[in-house]
Amino acid sequence: MTSRRIVLSQSAALLGAASTGLLLPEVAQAQPGKVRVGLMLPYTGTFAQLGVAIENGFRMAINEQGGKLGGREIEFFKVDDESDPSKGVENASKLVQRDKVDVIVGTVHSGVQMGIQKVARDTGVLSLIPNAGAHAATRSLCAPNVFRTSFTNSQPTRALGKAMVDKGHKRAVWITWKYAAGEEAFEGFKESYTAAGGTIIKELGLPFPNVEFQALLTEIASLKPDAVACFFAGGGAAKFIRDYAAAGLKGKIPLYGSGFLTEGVLDAAGAAADGIITTMHYSDSLDTPRNKAFRLAYAKTYRMQPDVYAMQGYDTGLLLAQGAAAVKGDLSSKVALYKALESATIDSPRGKWTMSKAHNPVQDIYLRVVENKENKVLGIAAKALADSGAGCKLG
Ligand code: BEZ
């Protein structure tokens, strides 16, 4: 098996040679056969709906390009990763070794993403991340063949703290699932909230994907903070919102969150979600022709409303289509392919965005409030926000 060091040094050499002009130009040639696309997403468990939305969005973008990538037909290979980090490497390896995919599109859960990241670094397979925000993927463990179309976990919360203090909430409790996504979301919240003059009086947590919130809600009631901020997503987020209201906290202690709290759950949460304020790189109600066209097409195709996950899947399809077109379907033309992905501007339903040097979106973060089962935009909380990319040596 090719060692990680060899693959990385080959990629670095390729890119280095390209930038010094020593490499003979790669001439992209139309490739025979189908492009093999691996979808590694959760289709069961608390993030099941997120995986389905990402796949739907991805397929919609590809279908809008005539169902082909760079002129080639596509064959899909699917793995249910179950949001189980212990199976991450094994599942990603199956796609690469057994199914011989050209690209892995996945996944949702940050812990599982670390398994894909290892396989991507070891084998050089193209990895497109349509959700998981694990910092390391585009920081210390970044790689030339890994591109994220979503966010880093601290990007949305970096815009949250000031918005809360501006509303007069100076003493907050933070609550989350205790795994990379929640802990890194906390990092962004802590930085923004304390910089704006707020004090975090308590951090509360429970293991993923546990949803026994009762004891923690009782503790929040006794702490009497000005507000609560949190990270939850998927089925667990819907339950947290309902339990928060059932515990009598709604209307007494305002609830804020990283926007995943209110994505894809508004039907399930009902009136309990009204008034929740969040920060996120998307909103249902963005009043742009691009967003309206996307929402209409998605609703017609899938008979349901899109959410941030559907939008991220869609953008992943747009990015891959742009890259594949630039190399005329020859995904083995890596220098040209990576260059095209790095320099892409994605005309997204969220607004136009570009890749940072570490391969993570530079994007606006919106302040939203839930009203009548919709995330309504209140304004832009952070303009063209880039992740630090700390420790990444690309570019
Ligand atoms: C994560 O694990 O990175 C994640 C999962 C769901 C929503 C957002 C982030």
Side-chain angles (χ1 to χ4, degrees):
M1 197 174 83
T2 319
S3 80
R4 174 175 125 190
R5 196 174 302 132
I6 292 170
V7 170
L8 284 178
S9 59
Q10 280 174 342
S11 306
L14 273 174
L15 292 171
S19 64
T20 55
L22 293 174
L23 198 73
L24 289 173
E26 283 189 326
V27 181
Q29 296 182 341
Q31 293 292 294
K34 296 182 177 175
V35 179
R36 301 167 81 86
V37 174
L39 296 174
M40 181 162 154
L41 293 165
Y43 294 105
T44 50
T46 198
F47 288 162
Q49 244 184 284
L50 286 58
V52 171
I54 288 169
E55 179 175 345
N56 286 347
F58 181 78
R59 285 184 186 267
M60 192 171 106
I62 301 292
N63 288 338
E64 285 176 4
Q65 318 287 321
K68 292 187 178 174
L69 283 169
R72 290 169 68 194
E73 305 275 349
I74 303 168
E75 185 166 3
F76 286 97
F77 298 83
K78 281 175 64 163
V79 173
D80 175 9
D81 69 36
E82 304 165 51
S83 296
D84 183 348
S86 73
K87 297 183 190 156
V89 169
E90 185 190 330
N91 281 328
S93 298
K94 261 189 221 156
L95 287 172
V96 176
Q97 310 297 350
R98 184 194 63 192
D99 301 328
K100 310 257 179 292
V101 298
D102 297 299
V103 52
I104 297 182
V105 174
T107 189
V108 169
H109 185 287
S110 279
V112 181
Q113 195 66 48
M114 287 299 93
I116 299 180
Q117 191 80 5
K118 174 166 175 20
V119 172
R121 286 169 61 96
D122 284 353
T123 65
V125 72
L126 177 61
S127 160
L128 301 183
I129 310 175
N131 184 72
H135 284 175
T138 54
R139 290 192 187 178
S140 59
L141 295 178
C142 72
N145 52 318
V146 175
F147 295 83
R148 179 151 42 204
T149 58
S150 50
F151 54 87
T152 54
N153 286 320
S154 59
Q155 249 180 328
T157 42
R158 191 159 295 130
L160 183 61
K162 184 171 181 311
M164 288 174 65
V165 172
D166 284 351
K167 295 226 177 261
H169 305 315
K170 292 211 168 141
R171 290 171 66 257
V173 166
W174 169 260
I175 180 167
T176 187
W177 276 317
K178 285 193 137 323
Y179 80 104
E183 277 151 16
E184 292 173 354
F186 178 65
E187 196 181 301
F189 175 63
K190 186 175 169 189
E191 190 186 297
S192 62
Y193 193 61
T194 53
T199 304
I200 299 163
I201 61 168
K202 185 99 187 191
E203 282 175 64
L204 297 172
L206 70 174
F208 175 86
N210 193 320
V211 290
E212 297 310 316
F213 299 118
Q214 202 47 56
L216 296 169
L217 293 171
T218 305
E219 191 173 346
I220 290 172
S222 69
L223 286 165
K224 298 192 173 54
D226 293 346
V228 170
C230 68
F231 167 85
F232 292 109
K239 181 160 190 301
F240 182 73
I241 293 170
R242 286 195 309 263
D243 288 4
Y244 195 88
L249 299 180
K250 180 175 157 56
K252 288 200 186 124
I253 305 174
L255 181 57
Y256 289 79
S258 185
F260 307 104
L261 179 66
T262 57
E263 285 294 327
V265 304
L266 295 179
D267 282 332
D274 282 340
I276 296 176
I277 293 182
T278 61
T279 42
M280 179 96 297
H281 49 285
Y282 181 60
S283 173
D284 323 351
S285 75
L286 284 175
D287 192 11
T288 61
R290 186 75 182 100
N291 188 40
K292 285 185 171 160
F294 163 73
R295 296 192 69 82
L296 188 62
Y298 190 94
K300 271 191 186 159
T301 309
Y302 300 110
R303 308 257 157 241
M304 60 176 140
Q305 291 300 316
D307 54 20
V308 73
Y309 310 106
M311 180 280 288
Q312 291 168 176
Y314 183 74
D315 283 10
T316 307
L318 294 183
L319 178 71
L320 182 57
Q322 276 198 31
V327 295
K328 299 193 177 65
D330 179 6
L331 299 187
S332 69
S333 290
K334 300 216 180 227
V335 172
L337 176 62
Y338 299 164
K339 213 169 156 211
L341 298 176
E342 274 165 357
S343 56
T345 296
I346 300 300
D347 185 10
S348 164
R350 75 184 94 170
K352 284 190 181 157
W353 61 269
T354 53
M355 282 286 172
S356 71
K357 284 190 175 147
H359 299 177
N360 189 70
V362 178
Q363 56 192 338
D364 294 346
I365 306 289
Y366 302 97
L367 184 67
R368 309 115 41 101
V369 64
V370 177
E371 270 175 34
N372 301 325
K373 299 194 176 171
E374 203 184 19
N375 285 297
K376 291 243 163 80
V377 181
L378 294 172
I380 294 183
K383 187 85 194 140
L385 187 67
D387 186 69
S388 73
C392 176
K393 302 273 189 293
L394 298 175

